[in-house]
């Protein structure tokens, strides 16, 4: 089971890496920020999978911290994003 979860975490990280392309090439700032949110969500998913696979509960704390930072980043985008871009 641990191998499957580790493989799933690797797949999620691969998809997050593909999302980096959108961060670099995004046509608008909103596209870039949404891709950055994908990085946060994918990172949280990968950390939780690794936590279960390795039976390390401390990694869950890191996932919660990343979720908090991602939420603040979204709020900052919503507040400071220019309209129409």
């Amino acid at each position: 089971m641990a191998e499957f979860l580790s493989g799933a975490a690797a797949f999620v990280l691969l998809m997050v890496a593909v999302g980096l392309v959108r961060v670099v090439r995004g046509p608008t700032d909103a596209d870039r920020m949404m891709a950055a949110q994908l990085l946060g969500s994918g990172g949280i998913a990968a950390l939780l999978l690794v936590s279960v696979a390795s039976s390390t509960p401390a990694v869950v704390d890191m996932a919660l911290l990343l979720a908090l930072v991602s939420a603040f980043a979204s709020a900052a985008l919503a507040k400071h994003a220019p309209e129409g871009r």
Side-chain angles (χ1 to χ4, degrees):
M1 185 69 172
E3 293 85 17
F4 174 75
L5 293 174
S6 297
F11 179 74
V12 168
L13 287 177
L14 179 67
M15 291 300 109
V16 168
V18 171
L20 282 174
V21 173
R22 181 56 59 191
V23 171
V24 173
R25 299 182 62 194
T28 65
D29 290 340
D31 291 334
R32 289 187 174 104
M33 191 59 207
M34 292 304 294
Q37 287 298 311
L38 172 69
L39 297 177
S41 299
I44 292 165
L47 285 173
L48 291 175
L49 287 169
V50 167
S51 173
V52 173
S54 65
S55 300
T56 310
V59 178
V60 173
D61 294 337
M62 294 303 297
L64 290 173
L65 183 64
L66 184 58
L68 184 64
V69 170
S70 295
F72 282 127
S74 295
L77 171 72
K79 182 170 176 107
H80 297 291
E83 292 186 29
R85 287 191 69 197

